[in-house]
């Protein structure tokens, strides 16, 4: 022990000597001291800055240092600085990863010793060899482990309001290039550091705009309404869906470079949290991965504790369950993914940051906790984060063979696991599925993440699964089995675990409504199959002859574009299934009479859909498919969730007019639009109604200007305050009654029910219900409704997350006395205690004489034998139409994820068509467009658009109303 301490002290003394020999940048070092508002938040690694005669420091380039109060840096200027560093030093190399939706660059600065950078491509090849043990022997791998350099990839700025990461990485890049202490030299010689300072580049520019608007005008600054083009915080939940350009770029970088570590920087905890998570950990994780989390996090906690820096901890935040985060792109590819959460950068000084006891208590995982009160400034954030990063970088560089060996082993173990007799050996996706384009889309999404997809060459049977020639086979003996197991597995999240941080269920084939079969038979790996080398691209064609073209409604998402890409074509939709020339067609089939075949063939080829030309139109009940004028309504409060709806409309070619809630109050909606899409705002109904508060006399503009050149890309206004308002709700009601169709989910549903616009529908909030982002079984209660055209069978997996819970029926707004799920119901006296008798086990059961147990009473019915609501006044002339609902049995509801209190959901509506006047409201309790994952339910939304003026089709005869109670 004494020898170890002596060795450490000698190393520190040597480092200090080297530090003393290198010329310091006196002015820079003085500014570090000046801007640090609490002197405890520092280490010897960051309390100084060496000078360079050839490489410009941040002070020389920007005229200030990172951590300067009241200042932020645009991403474009960070990019200019990185390009300058690469030109000035042979220890740095600059390259781009791709473009954002708004055309800005995603960049990487690679830093290492000159000799290491010269062999960067050779090192890339070595890491690729370690990543595929099928091609690399163990002896070859052991040799590569000794010579290859791990890549430690730092990313930041994916969450635009979290501003400190990019600022920290400005300084860290310079320090890593110019500092010549043994500590930093170890990093440069035995690793390659990649830095992507801003992942959400579009959002960074907007945030800096809004900050300086407030600073320079001394007026309320506009909220950060938009980060990227589509979503805000959810840009860090796109790992599985892979829709956003930033996700695609990081994934492509992962597949090309095989970085050993991907470390993402965030701001949400005090003062620095190094990720491990509370669990439960995803069961598909290799045990090496979770131990790597702890190994490096404990190093950082210990090293910072040795220097007396408070507030560095691990464990008590996040879980480790869902693989949708940016850093999980590394985890699913057998690299080491991790993140930090640090105290907010500001950039303004918080003279008295006060924290509650739950944050400052000393716990086993937080041995040196944050302080109850402290002065915090941006330099504090730079110091604490940069210090921890340097310890992590040094640790990985020092133990580079360990981390490279771990990478090799994780890949090898993934391959070996797929060969075991007691494991999943393959997944089979039948090629002959109705929605072939949705099948192709799912498989292509997996391919683009590096998964290997094969096609069966012949028919065979394996593990009782019959496989036809042409079916898709996903072998489990491949390096990225971990990804496949996580995506395609069924998730079970017991409620006794720590509270989930995000979704608990995400089974890909469920969300996409794709048939997939699991094979547990190693013999499947011996069957003949051909590996796909390109994306699956079904060819769209028109066969047959005649003036009428039939395009079957298969549920394939690209079908929605037909109406809009052929605006002049006469188009109808079949209201019933039919058969012609021996071919079966589903309800919703597109019927094009007297069509321009050349124009149709061009469109179907583009979309990949197929159709048949016939001599005469089918004799089937049908209605016209008119081209709707679509209005798309957003709030100035939040665009997070509505962005995923826009993403789907844009991707599949549905045009719309985008406008803000404050314009609804102007009226005349029906003259402009046939369909209004109003996705959830999230938050509360009051938030949606009030919008940005009308406080003070100063307007809050959101628009492109000299002060804010990056705003106003999608929408703009001179004053965004005021929200929808009660007047706006009245205008929505007028729109529907005049014949328009209003489509909404989430808070939109709550708003329409709470304000009495959607009559016959109410919202309940069962206290016994607990669910978090899970996949539930949806039952198609009304298969004749146009809203479910294209869906086969009577059930559909859907995404649901606890709210809203819909009750449909006359006088919906049940008297709490009759509601078994009302507050206090579980505490009150049960006046029907004999309804369900205790189970009694017979001593010697006799199957012939044993009485059948009575079926239990559904728990969402009144204990008095009636589920009717008290209602008064005239009978309604229009009633809601429940198109989809939860199953009747609680145990049948959950398919993947977490659900407690399923009895509160039995028979509750998931999709309701509410007629009002001449129009309709289509209300979703499920989330049809959740992130870029629920493609299987997209057509529940698309059908509402296509059939907006014929939603009454297939309406069943009106039922006689039941009598009420006392």
């Amino acid at each position: 022990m004494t020898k170890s301490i002596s060795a450490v002290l000698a190393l520190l003394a040597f480092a200090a000597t080297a530090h003393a020999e290198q010329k310091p940048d006196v002015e820079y070092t003085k500014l570090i001291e000046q801007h640090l508002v609490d002197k405890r938040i520092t280490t010897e690694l960051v309390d100084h800055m060496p000078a360079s005669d050839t490489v410009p420091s941040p002070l020389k380039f920007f005229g200030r240092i990172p951590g300067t109060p009241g200042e932020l840096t645009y991403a474009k200027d960070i990019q200019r600085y990185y390009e300058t560093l690469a030109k000035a030093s042979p220890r740095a190399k600059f390259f781009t990863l791709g473009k954002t939706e708004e055309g800005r660059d995603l960049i990487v600065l690679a830093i290492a010793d000159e000799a290491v950078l010269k062999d960067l491509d050779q090192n890339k090849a070595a890491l690729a060899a370690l990543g595929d043990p099928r091609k690399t022997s163990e002896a070859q791998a052991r040799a590569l482990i000794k010579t290859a350099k791990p890549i430690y990839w730092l990313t930041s700025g994916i969450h635009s309001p979290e501003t400190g990461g990019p600022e920290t990485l400005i300084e860290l890049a310079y320090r890593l290039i110019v500092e010549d202490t043994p500590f930093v030299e170890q990093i440069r010689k035995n690793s390659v550091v990649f830095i992507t300072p801003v992942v959400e580049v579009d959002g960074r520019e907007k945030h800096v705009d809004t900050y300086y608007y407030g600073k320079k005008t001394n007026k309320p600054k506009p909220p950060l309404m938009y980060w990227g083009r589509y979503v805000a915080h959810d840009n860090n939940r796109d790992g599985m869906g892979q829709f956003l350009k930033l996700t695609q770029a990081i994934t492509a970088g992962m597949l090309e470079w095989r970085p050993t570590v991907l470390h993402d920087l965030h701001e949400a905890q005090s003062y620095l949290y190094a990720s491990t998570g509370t669990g439960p950990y995803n069961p598909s994780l290799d045990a090496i991965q979770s131990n790597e989390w702890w190994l490096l996090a404990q190093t950082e906690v210990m090293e910072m504790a040795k220097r007396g820096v408070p507030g560095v901890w691990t464990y008590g935040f996040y879980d480790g369950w869902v693989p949708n985060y940016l850093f999980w792109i590394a985890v699913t590819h057998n690299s080491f993914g991790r993140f930090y959460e640090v105290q907010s950068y500001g950039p303004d000084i918080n003279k008295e940051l006060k924290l509650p006891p739950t944050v400052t208590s000393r716990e086993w995982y937080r041995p040196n906790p944050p302080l109850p009160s402290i002065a915090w400034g941006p330099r504090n954030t730079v110091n604490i984060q940069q210090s921890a990063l340097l310890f992590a970088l040094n640790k990985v560089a020092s133990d580079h063979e360990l981390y490279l060996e771990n990478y090799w082993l994780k890949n090898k173990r993934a391959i070996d696991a797929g060969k075991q007799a007691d494991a999943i050996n393959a997944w089979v996706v039948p090629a002959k599925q109705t929605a072939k384009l949705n099948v192709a889309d799912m498989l292509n999404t997996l391919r683009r993440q590096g998964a290997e997809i094969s096609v069966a060459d012949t028919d065979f049977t394996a593990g009782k699964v019959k496989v036809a020639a042409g079916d898709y086979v996903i072998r489990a003996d491949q390096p990225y089995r971990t990804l496949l197991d996580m995506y395609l597995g069924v998730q079970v999240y017991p409620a006794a675990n720590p509270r989930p941080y995000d979704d608990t269920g995400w089974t890909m084939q469920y969300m996409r409504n794709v048939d997939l079969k699991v094979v547990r038979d190693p013999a499947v790996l011996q069957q003949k199959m051909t590996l796909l080398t390109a994306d699956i691209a079904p060819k769209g064609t028109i066969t047959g002859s005649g003036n009428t073209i039939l395009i079957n409604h298969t549920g394939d998402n690209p079908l929605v574009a037909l109406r809009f890409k052929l605006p002049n074509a006469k188009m109808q939709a079949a209201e019933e299934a039919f058969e012609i020339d021996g071919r079966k067609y589903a309800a919703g089939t597109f019927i094009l009479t007297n069509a321009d075949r050349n124009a149709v063939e061009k469109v179907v080829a583009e979309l990949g859909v197929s159709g048949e030309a016939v001599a005469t139109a089918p004799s089937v009940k049908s209605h016209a498919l008119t081209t709707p004028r679509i209005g798309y309504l957003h709030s100035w409060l939040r665009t997070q969730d509505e962005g995923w709806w826009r993403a789907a409309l844009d991707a599949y070619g549905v045009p719309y007019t985008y406008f803000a809630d404050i314009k609804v109050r102007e009226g005349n909606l029906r003259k402009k639009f046939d369909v209004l899409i109003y996705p959830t705002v999230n938050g509360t109904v009051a938030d949606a109604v009030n919008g940005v508060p009308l406080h003070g006399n100063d307007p809050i503009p959101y628009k492109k200007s000299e002060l804010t050149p990056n705003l106003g890309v999608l929408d703009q206004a001179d004053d965004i305050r005021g929200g929808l308002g009660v007047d706006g709700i009245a205008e929505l009601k007028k729109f529907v009654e005049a014949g328009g169709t209003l489509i909404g989910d989430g808070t939109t549903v709550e708003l329409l029910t709470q304000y009495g616009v959607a009559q016959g529908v109410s919202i309940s909030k069962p206290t016994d219900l607990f669910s978090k982002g899970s996949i539930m079984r949806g039952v198609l209660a009304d298969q004749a409704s146009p809203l479910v055209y294209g869906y086969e069978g009577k059930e559909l997996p859907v995404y649901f997350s606890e709210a809203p819970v819909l009750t449909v029926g006359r006088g919906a707004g049940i008297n709490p006395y009759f509601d078994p799920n009302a507050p206090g119901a579980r505490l009150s006296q049960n006046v029907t205690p004999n309804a369900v008798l205790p189970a009694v086990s017979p001593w010697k059961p006799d199957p012939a004489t044993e009485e059948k147990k009575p079926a239990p009473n559904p728990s969402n019915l009144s204990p008095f034998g009636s589920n009717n609501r008290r209602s008064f006044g005239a009978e309604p002339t229009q009633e809601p139409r429940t198109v989809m609902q939860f199953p009747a049995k609680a145990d049948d509801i959950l398919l993947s994820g977490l659900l407690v209190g399923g009895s509160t959901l039995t028979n509750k509506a998931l999709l309701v068509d509410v007629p009002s006047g001449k129009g309709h409201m289509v209300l979703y309790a499920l989330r049809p467009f959740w992130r870029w994952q629920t493609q299987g339910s997209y057509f529940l939304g698309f059908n509402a658009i296509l059939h907006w003026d014929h939603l009454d089709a297939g309406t069943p005869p009106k039922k006689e109303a039941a009598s009420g109670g006392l």
Side-chain angles (χ1 to χ4, degrees), residues 55 104 111 129 240 243 252 493 690 719 818 832 892 918 938 941:
V55 182
R104 298 180 177 91
I111 301 172
M240 286 184 282
F243 175 77
Y493 194 106
N690 296 326
D719 190 357
F818 293 91
T832 59
D892 292 341
K918 298 179 181 179
Y938 280 8

Side-chain angles (χ1 to χ4, degrees), residues 633-705:
L633 175 60
H634 74 83
S635 167
W636 279 119
L637 270 182
R638 175 183 165 98
T639 59
Q640 166 82 323
D641 298 294
E642 65 91 2
W644 290 118
W645 284 68
R646 275 192 291 114
L649 299 183
D650 289 352
Y652 291 108
V654 179
Y656 55 89
T657 300
Y658 191 63
F659 65 100
D661 50 7
I662 58 176
K663 290 190 175 182
V664 174
R665 301 194 302 264
E666 297 173 3
N668 294 318
L669 293 171
R670 187 66 187 92
K671 291 183 179 180
K672 305 171 189 174
F673 306 112
D674 303 307
V675 173
L676 279 182
I677 299 173
Y678 186 17
T680 183
V681 178
N682 220 321
T684 67
V685 170
D687 292 334
V689 174
N690 296 326
V692 178
L694 277 163
H695 295 161
N697 298 319
D698 292 322
I700 301 178
Y702 189 96
K703 62 182 183 179
K704 185 180 181 69
S705 69

Side-chain angles (χ1 to χ4, degrees), residues 174-249:
Y174 176 74
R175 189 183 300 279
L176 289 174
I177 290 170
V178 304
E179 187 152 306
D180 289 329
T181 60
F183 188 94
V184 174
E185 285 179 344
Q186 173 78 293
I187 297 170
R188 286 198 302 265
K189 288 182 178 179
N190 288 307
S191 69
V192 181
V193 180
F194 277 14
I195 302 178
T196 298
V198 183
V199 175
E200 179 55 274
V201 188
D202 298 337
R204 174 75 179 191
E205 307 306 68
K206 295 179 180 72
H207 183 76
V208 177
D209 271 4
T210 62
Y211 175 76
Y212 280 115
Y213 175 88
K215 181 179 179 179
K216 292 178 180 179
T217 65
N218 201 30
K219 294 180 179 180
K221 64 182 182 181
L224 192 61
M225 268 294 301
Y226 301 94
W227 299 8
R229 183 175 184 83
Y230 292 105
V231 297
H233 193 271
D234 263 8
N235 60 7
N236 196 31
R237 302 294 188 273
D238 190 41
M240 286 184 282
Q242 295 277 317
F243 175 77
L244 303 174
K245 297 294 185 184
L246 63 87
T247 318
Q248 296 168 9

Side-chain angles (χ1 to χ4, degrees), residues 409-583:
L409 284 173
K410 284 183 284 185
N411 283 286
K412 185 176 186 299
R413 284 151 61 122
I415 295 167
D416 292 343
K419 301 176 181 178
Q420 302 303 313
D422 58 347
I424 295 174
N425 304 111
W427 297 267
V428 174
V429 179
K432 292 184 178 179
Q433 298 192 41
T434 303
K436 63 180 182 179
L437 296 179
N438 291 353
V439 170
D441 184 53
M442 186 186 91
L443 294 174
N444 289 339
T445 297
L446 292 172
R447 282 196 72 256
R448 290 164 194 158
Q449 296 181 63
E452 298 172 357
I453 314 290
S454 299
V455 177
D457 293 340
T458 59
D459 296 351
F460 64 86
T461 299
K464 298 182 180 180
V465 175
K466 293 183 178 180
V467 182
D471 284 352
Y472 301 103
V473 181
I474 310 172
R475 300 173 64 106
D477 61 338
Q478 59 175 292
Y480 298 151
R481 173 202 165 88
T482 306
L483 179 149
L484 295 164
D485 207 36
M486 287 181 182
Y487 288 13
L488 305 177
V490 174
Q491 291 75 50
V492 180
Y493 194 106
N497 278 298
R499 185 172 57 183
Y501 191 73
D502 200 77
D503 286 348
T504 58
W506 56 84
T507 308
M508 179 177 271
Q509 64 272 23
Y510 290 176
M511 282 189 161
R512 291 173 177 256
N513 195 28
V514 169
D515 183 25
L516 177 144
K517 303 178 188 301
V518 172
V519 178
R520 295 179 181 271
D521 182 358
V524 68
L525 304 175
Q526 308 306 317
Q527 300 295 331
K528 292 183 178 181
M529 57 189 77
T530 302
L531 181 67
L532 290 175
T533 57
D535 279 353
I536 304 164
K539 293 182 178 180
T541 58
I542 300 293
T543 59
S545 60
N547 293 328
T548 297
I549 296 176
L550 306 177
I551 300 176
N552 191 24
H553 196 328
T554 59
D556 278 314
N557 290 322
L559 284 170
V560 70
L562 279 174
R563 175 67 284 176
F564 303 101
K565 288 184 177 294
L566 294 166
N568 299 319
K570 184 179 179 182
M571 197 176 295
Q572 292 183 306
E575 295 184 3
E576 300 168 349
F578 64 94
E579 185 173 331
I580 191 168
D581 295 336
R583 187 186 294 270

